[in-house]
């Protein structure tokens, strides 16, 4: 039986023998492509080639690409676990032609590999072709249909035509696309999972597991525009994709992808943890849970390794949903404590030989998953209680639907993704008001958008036709002569007769000395000027080889082809200092914390530098001081900074660090610190791939100070630091604060620390005395509360505890309410007290009564107006404050009415 490792190797070797270059998988997080959440196909890293934005380094390529389909256009998340072949993470075996061979070779070689190398019986195979689409003006792909009959042994009745849904491939809402031919296999009548579905007939693309797609051959010859039109690409390309998991199941003669050697060791490990044996059933809840966890675990390990961190936005939120979905399915297996992180090494053992980055980052991945699991575990049980209450209410509704408000509360307060609420609702035969949820979500997003700064957005263009020369200028010059090529704005590229005053646009020059935003370094600002006008450059960006100077015409006007002078702003020197200091910081962190420190991102601007790095916990004061000292010592030594352009392999052999996941060409720029010239690069104490601007000597940085160290996500820390002028300004402000404190406290600078420490100690003593006095008073409060319990009214098993306390504090009243709820077991508590002309009301409800519709927050909201106040809170505990103490008794009486009416109705 061929192992998955061997199948992967067979595929790569086969296409290498056909003249294809092996290209390693790109990271799951797409590089420089905001149109995709995740790499969802092998062709993603070649998108610029298909669009004509860059030239291919070789005409043919093959690889095994890491893919995730769990968000956006391609989303398999909801199908995972319920069948045997959908996955969030999978490997896509693929081969490509960049304007070289086309349909004939692609079909012939696919048939050769499948039927000869792997000996899959041809009588089990079918081929499909594109049937055309009138709305796009596309005809049936007769060329492919005829080739299947010509170069394979397939009979005509097993070459089938399907529409756009099945046989037209698109990477996203816009971009490269084209007709495709798929190879399907008939696994036999016993493999059908829809036998009990009325009217079902097994067939290709009929949606059952008897016929499954093995290989998709995409013939990329079109580009879909934002307006929906489909236009021919400049050259025709081939992009094929075959899921390793599916072909492994066929070649290993397994009934399910989950039975292959890619999943079986994982499922065995999970089974050993929970004591549940895997049987392969599609209906058994424990089997579904085992499949979901095994699949989601692989996705988490690969995505986090490639730099995707769980968060509340974008791809990070998708990853968080996947983790929480797996965690919730763990409850099905009676796994209540964090467990997913302990399974990560099993994935590394299975896949780490081919994807070596997994081994390098496995400790980091485990720490991120553990932190996320622990965080969600703390709210999961409480969220399940809230869900159950909402579900009980939905059961009694006409449409059996959980409200959008309940679903949003679960998302916003307890971190339940909507699809998790939907999954739990489905298990109870309930629906979720997704429209109501979406409306509340959009309101929240609108508030967030309103708080964000608006920036001018520029459209992507076929910029290979508009190259800007910047190779020398951006590193060595701060001004240069140039000519205006045209402008670009959201409507596209233009060559206007005049660029008038106040117009906001992006100017394209034939050459420039401006640095375009890249690698964490901000784009240069400055001016473009001539005798006729002045344009303020607010930012500089790059699309393909085209540099775009974004900004506004401040004076006069320009015309296309006009000669101008481009002048970079004075901020460039500060940016240089901060960028070189960022390299020093990474070196110092590795010296202090070890080589496991890896860059996760950075921001280099004129104001400050920001550096994100892997680290499981906060730096100690001693570690922070050591890092600062190491950096300052190097700055004081005024070591040289050498910039060299090398072949990528040569730079790697020298030990130069590359940012994980970044895309590099054959030639790379290396920043080497501590050596005078390129002949000494091996001796540099810091060597990094970097295309940014840097100082010539470390002494130019002028100083270094860490002003903040914080966590930005599980396992990732962030340092913000200052250099140069901004550091001097910071230190000057600090000096002013010290002088002001010395004057206020009437002490010298030398005695300031001792004086402050003395004041802090005195404050602690006073606080302790106040707490002691409060506890003594609290004995009476607890006694009063106990008396209320002893004399309370009971309705069924529920204790209705309502009364007034002597002068108290909110903390003491909360303690009293918690005590009463615990002692009574089933209770609703409403307490009131007055203090300094203010009134406070506090309500508490036990969980069993919450399920009957009694909520502390609702009670408080109704009675708060009687004390001229307002308030609210959670169903378990809520409070209100007001300025009418004389209204407390009326408020308590109103509370009694509400509670009795509610309990009587149950």
């Amino acid at each position: 039986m061929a192992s998955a490792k061997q199948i992967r190797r067979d595929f790569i070797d086969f296409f290498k023998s056909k003249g294809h270059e092996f290209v390693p998988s790109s990271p799951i997080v797409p590089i420089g492509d905001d149109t995709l959440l995740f790499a969802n196909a092998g062709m993603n890293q070649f998108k610029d080639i298909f669009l004509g934005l860059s030239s291919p380094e070789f005409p043919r390529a093959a690889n095994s690409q890491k893919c995730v389909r769990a968000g956006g256009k391609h989303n398999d998340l909801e199908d995972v676990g319920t069948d045997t072949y959908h996955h969030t993470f999978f490997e896509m075996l693929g081969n490509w032609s960049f304007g070289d061979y086309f349909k004939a070779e692609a079909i012939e070689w696919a048939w050769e590999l499948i039927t000869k190398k792997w000996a899959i019986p041809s009588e089990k195979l079918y081929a499909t072709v594109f049937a055309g689409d009138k709305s796009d003006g596309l005809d049936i792909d007769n060329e492919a249909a005829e080739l299947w009959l010509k170069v394979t042994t397939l009979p005509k009745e097993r070459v089938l035509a399907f529409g756009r849904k099945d046989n037209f491939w698109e990477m996203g809402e816009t971009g490269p696309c084209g007709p495709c031919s798929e190879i399907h296999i008939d696994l036999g009548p016993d493999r059908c999972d829809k036998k009990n579905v009325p009217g079902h007939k097994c067939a290709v693309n009929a949606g059952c597991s008897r016929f499954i797609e093995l290989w998709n051959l995409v013939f990329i010859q079109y580009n879909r525009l934002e307006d929906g039109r489909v236009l021919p690409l400049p050259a025709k390309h081939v992009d094929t994709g075959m899921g390793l998991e599916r072909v492994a199941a066929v070649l290993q003669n397994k009934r399910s992808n989950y039975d292959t050697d890619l999943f079986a060791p994982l499922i065995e490990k999970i089974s050993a943890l929970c004591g549940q044996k895997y049987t392969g059933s599609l209906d058994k809840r424990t089997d579904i849970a085992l499949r979901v966890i095994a699949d989601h675990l692989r996705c988490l390990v690969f995505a986090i390794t490639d730099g995707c961190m769980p968060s509340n936005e974008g791809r990070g939120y998708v990853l968080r949903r996947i983790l929480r979905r797996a965690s919730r399915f763990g409850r099905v297996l009676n796994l209540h404590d964090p467990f997913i992180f302990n399974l990560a090494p099993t994935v590394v053992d299975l896949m780490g030989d081919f994807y070596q980055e997994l081994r390098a980052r496995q400790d980091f991945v485990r720490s991120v998953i553990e932190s996320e699991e622990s965080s969600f575990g703390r709210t999961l049980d409480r969220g399940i209680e809230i869900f159950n209450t909402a579900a009980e209410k939905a059961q009694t509704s006409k449409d059996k639907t959980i409200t959008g408000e309940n679903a949003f509360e679960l998302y916003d307060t307890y971190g339940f993704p909507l699809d998790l609420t939907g999954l739990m609702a489905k298990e109870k035969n309930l629906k979720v008001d997704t429209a109501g949820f979406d409306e509340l979500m959009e309101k929240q997003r609108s508030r967030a958008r309103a708080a964000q700064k608006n920036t001018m957005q520029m459209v992507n263009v076929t910029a290979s036709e508009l190259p800007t020369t910047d190779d020398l200028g951006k590193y060595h010059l701060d001004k240069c002569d140039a000519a205006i090529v045209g402008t670009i704005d959201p409507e596209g590229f233009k060559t206007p007769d005049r660029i008038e005053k106040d117009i906001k646009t992006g100017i394209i020059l034939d050459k420039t000395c401006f640095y375009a935003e890249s690698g964490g370094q901000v784009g240069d600002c400055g001016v473009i000027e001539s005798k006729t006008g002045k344009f303020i450059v607010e930012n500089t960006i790059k699309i393909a080889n085209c540099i775009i100077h974004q900004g506004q015409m401040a004076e006069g006007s320009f015309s296309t082809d006009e000669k101008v002078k481009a002048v970079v702003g004075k901020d460039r020197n500060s940016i240089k200092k901060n960028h070189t200091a960022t390299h020093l910081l990474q070196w110092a962190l590795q010296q202090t914390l070890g080589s496991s420190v890896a860059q996760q991102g950075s921001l280099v601007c004129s104001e400050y530098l920001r550096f994100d790095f892997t680290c499981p916990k906060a730096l100690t004061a001693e570690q922070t001081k050591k890092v600062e000292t190491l950096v300052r010592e190097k700055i004081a030594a005024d070591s040289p900074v050498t910039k060299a352009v090398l072949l990528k392999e040569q730079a790697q052999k020298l030990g130069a660090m590359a940012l994980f996941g970044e895309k590099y060409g054959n030639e790379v720029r290396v920043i080497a610190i501590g050596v005078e010239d390129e002949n000494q690069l091996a001796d540099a104490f810091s060597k990094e791939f970097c295309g940014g601007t840097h100082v010539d000597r470390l002494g130019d940085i002028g100083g270094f100070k860490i002003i903040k160290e914080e966590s930005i996500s599980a396992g990732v820390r962030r340092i913000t630091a200052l250099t140069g002028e901004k550091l001097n300004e910071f230190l000057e402000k600090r000096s002013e604060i010290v002088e002001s404190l010395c004057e206020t406290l009437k002490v010298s600078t030398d005695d300031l620390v001792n004086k402050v420490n003395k004041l802090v100690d005195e404050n602690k003593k006073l606080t302790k005395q106040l707490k002691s006095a409060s506890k003594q008073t609290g004995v009476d409060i607890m006694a009063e509360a106990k008396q209320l319990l002893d004399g309370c009214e009971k309705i069924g098993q529920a204790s209705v505890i309502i009364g007034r306390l002597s002068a108290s504090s909110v903390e003491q009243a909360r303690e009293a309410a918690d005590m009463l709820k615990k002692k009574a077991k089933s209770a609703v508590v409403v307490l009131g007290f007055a203090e300094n002309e203010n009134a406070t009301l506090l309500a508490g409800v036990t969980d069993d009564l919450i399920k009957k519709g009694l909520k502390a927050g609702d009670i408080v909201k109704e009675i708060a107006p009687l004390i001229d106040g307002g308030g609210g809170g959670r169903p378990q505990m809520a409070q209100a404050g007001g300025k009418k103490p004389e209204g407390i008794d009326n408020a308590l009486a109103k509370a009694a009415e509400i509670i009795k009416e509610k309990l009587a109705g149950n």
Side-chain angles (χ1 to χ4, degrees), residues 286-302:
T286 53
D287 281 0
I288 293 172
L290 286 164
R291 286 192 292 270
V292 167
I293 294 167
D295 171 90
H296 290 9
L297 171 65
R298 290 180 2 131
C299 184
L300 290 166
V301 170
F302 273 90

Side-chain angles (χ1 to χ4, degrees), residues 22-256:
F22 171 69
V23 180
S25 171
S26 65
I28 284 173
V29 178
I31 300 167
D33 188 350
D34 294 332
T35 66
L36 288 173
L37 283 175
F38 300 102
N40 57 27
M43 64 81 63
N44 293 158
Q45 66 173 306
F46 305 121
K47 180 180 176 182
D48 283 355
I49 296 174
F50 298 137
L51 287 173
L53 297 177
S54 62
S55 301
E57 297 177 24
F58 24 74
R60 303 176 181 183
N63 85 347
S64 184
Q65 173 65 43
K66 301 174 286 188
C67 297
V68 169
R69 289 187 180 172
K73 184 178 177 66
H74 298 285
N75 185 357
D76 291 341
L77 181 59
E78 297 307 312
D79 296 317
V80 172
T82 62
D83 61 26
T84 61
Y85 49 87
H86 278 101
H87 305 291
T88 52
F89 169 84
F90 62 97
E91 287 184 74
M92 183 74 86
L93 303 172
N95 59 288
W96 292 269
S97 164
F98 307 120
D100 186 27
Y101 63 84
F102 202 45
K103 295 179 184 179
E105 295 88 344
I107 290 171
E108 182 178 355
W109 291 338
W111 189 256
E112 179 184 345
L113 177 61
I114 280 185
T115 62
K116 294 181 180 178
K117 175 66 178 177
W118 286 337
I120 295 176
S122 60
E123 60 269 19
K124 292 184 177 183
L125 302 176
Y126 289 72
T128 65
V129 298
F130 179 50
D133 190 286
K134 290 183 179 179
S135 64
D136 283 333
L138 301 175
D139 296 326
I140 186 171
D141 191 357
N142 284 318
E143 180 186 2
E146 291 168 4
L147 282 166
W148 281 112
L149 299 176
K150 179 181 177 181
V151 302
T152 78
T153 59
L154 282 177
K156 191 172 183 179
E157 61 270 18
R158 283 198 270 131
V159 178
L160 311 173
F162 290 90
R164 177 175 162 184
K165 177 178 177 291
D166 295 304
N167 277 78
F168 194 85
W169 194 91
E170 302 186 69
M171 185 177 65
E173 300 296 340
T174 61
C177 57
C180 61
S181 271
E182 297 177 340
I183 300 175
H184 292 250
I185 185 169
D186 180 358
L187 299 174
D190 63 318
R191 298 293 289 275
C192 176
D193 58 351
K194 301 286 177 67
K195 292 177 182 178
N196 298 325
V197 176
H200 173 74
K201 292 183 180 180
C202 293
V204 171
N205 287 333
C208 74
S209 54
R210 172 180 171 179
F211 290 88
I212 65 168
E213 172 202 329
L214 273 186
W215 203 342
N216 190 5
L217 314 180
V218 181
F219 308 121
I220 298 179
Q221 54 197 97
Y222 303 112
N223 181 34
R224 186 174 294 280
L225 305 181
E226 288 188 2
D227 62 9
R229 288 181 299 149
V230 176
L231 300 180
L233 285 169
K236 296 178 180 179
H237 313 289
V238 171
D239 160 33
T240 86
M242 173 166 52
L244 175 61
E245 293 77 9
R246 289 192 184 184
V247 73
V250 171
L251 294 177
Q252 293 176 11
N253 196 28
K254 300 295 184 182
R255 293 185 64 87
S256 161

Side-chain angles (χ1 to χ4, degrees), residues 257-311:
N257 294 0
Y258 292 95
D259 295 328
T260 68
D261 59 349
L262 289 165
F263 285 94
L266 284 175
I267 291 176
E268 288 171 7
K269 191 80 172 178
I270 303 165
S271 295
L273 273 179
C274 67
Q276 293 282 350
K277 187 176 180 181
Y278 180 64
T279 66
S281 168
L282 293 179
D283 303 313
K284 193 175 176 183
R285 289 189 73 216
T286 53
D287 281 0
I288 293 172
L290 286 164
R291 286 192 292 270
V292 167
I293 294 167
D295 171 90
H296 290 9
L297 171 65
R298 290 180 2 131
C299 184
L300 290 166
V301 170
F302 273 90
I304 295 170
T305 294
D306 279 3
C308 183
M309 301 298 295
S311 70

Side-chain angles (χ1 to χ4, degrees), residues 427-446:
E427 292 172 354
K428 293 181 178 287
N429 296 315
L430 297 172
K431 295 179 291 184
V432 178
D433 176 15
T434 55
F437 174 91
D438 290 340
E439 184 179 344
L440 291 168
M441 192 66 165
E442 183 55 35
K443 286 180 180 177
Q444 187 184 72
R445 285 172 177 157
S446 296

